[in-house]
Amino acid sequence: MMNEKLQAAFNDQINKELYSEYLYLAMKIYFLEQNLNGFANWFDVQVQEERAHAMGLFNYLNDREGTLKLEAIDKPVVEGNTPVTIFEQVLKHEKFVTERISALMDVADEAHDRAALSFLDWYIKEQVEEEATASTILGTLRLIGDDKKGLLMLDRELAARTFTAPTIG
Ligand code: FEO
């Protein structure tokens, strides 16, 4: 069984992933209101991915006979009010999640829990992708600037994103 500190850190990360799900759902509302349905679809897939991240940790903690504890999820705060500023927040948030996963790995390392460390490897690699995706879209949005046609082209591209349940661990 995992030690208490590591179990608490897993429970905390489950909460962070559920908050991510909630935050991206809140961002989806902004794009629905703007009639940018491709962006809204991108966030919808992101919501499903975050739920999968949370459930991966949830199932692992359960498999290790840990104690699952669900805490309150913070109210999501969307700081931006344009596509650019919202994606700035997405990138900032993903960097924060990367830091949290690193801290969780530090706790697993301190506990000499090789199994947990090996499991968490998937998450730290996933964060590289999460940050890169947000950064790419942000870069494109900055290039587009005030060009409405460019924005609609990107919207069409993001409409094609589909959710594939990840194989975690
Ligand atoms: Fe669960 Fe977007 O990281």
Side-chain angles (χ1 to χ4, degrees):
M1 194 191 276
M2 289 195 273
N3 76 21
E4 299 268 320
K5 191 177 172 188
L6 186 53
Q7 289 184 42
F10 260 78
N11 276 308
D12 185 58
Q13 191 58 36
I14 291 168
N15 184 275
K16 296 282 181 299
E17 300 292 348
L18 292 174
Y19 175 78
S20 301
E21 177 186 9
Y22 213 25
L23 177 66
Y24 293 143
L25 192 58
M27 289 176 172
K28 176 181 169 170
I29 295 170
Y30 166 84
F31 288 103
L32 285 174
E33 286 171 354
Q34 303 299 313
N35 291 317
L36 289 167
N37 294 328
F39 280 89
N41 172 67
W42 189 90
F43 278 95
D44 196 51
V45 174
Q46 200 65 16
V47 162
Q48 294 177 75
E49 283 204 352
E50 299 303 349
R51 169 58 63 98
H53 296 169
M55 290 315 295
L57 296 162
F58 183 105
N59 291 333
Y60 185 76
L61 186 51
N62 187 51
D63 286 348
R64 294 284 307 274
E65 298 179 351
T67 304
L68 286 154
K69 280 187 191 153
L70 295 181
E71 301 293 341
I73 302 166
D74 288 343
K75 182 178 174 180
V77 179
V78 180
E79 293 162 2
N81 55 3
T82 62
V84 167
T85 51
I86 285 179
F87 270 89
E88 281 171 351
Q89 189 184 353
V90 171
L91 182 57
K92 186 175 85 173
H93 182 70
E94 288 301 336
K95 285 182 175 173
F96 165 73
V97 174
T98 303
E99 280 170 21
R100 298 316 307 157
I101 298 284
S102 290
L104 176 55
M105 292 180 90
D106 286 345
V107 178
D109 200 25
E110 276 166 29
H112 306 294
D113 195 322
R114 298 281 147 218
L117 265 178
S118 159
F119 171 76
L120 290 169
D121 219 36
W122 183 89
Y123 281 83
I124 204 74
K125 285 181 189 148
E126 170 75 359
Q127 282 312 119
V128 173
E129 213 176 285
E130 290 279 74
E131 285 188 30
T133 307
S135 183
T136 301
I137 297 174
L138 179 58
T140 307
L141 281 168
R142 283 184 175 144
L143 269 177
I144 287 170
D146 292 331
D147 175 13
K148 289 257 186 316
K149 261 191 205 159
L151 187 63
L152 288 175
M153 271 174 69
L154 180 59
D155 188 63
R156 225 172 288 149
E157 191 183 317
L158 298 183
R161 188 185 189 197
T162 54
F163 175 67
T164 309
T167 308
I168 297 175

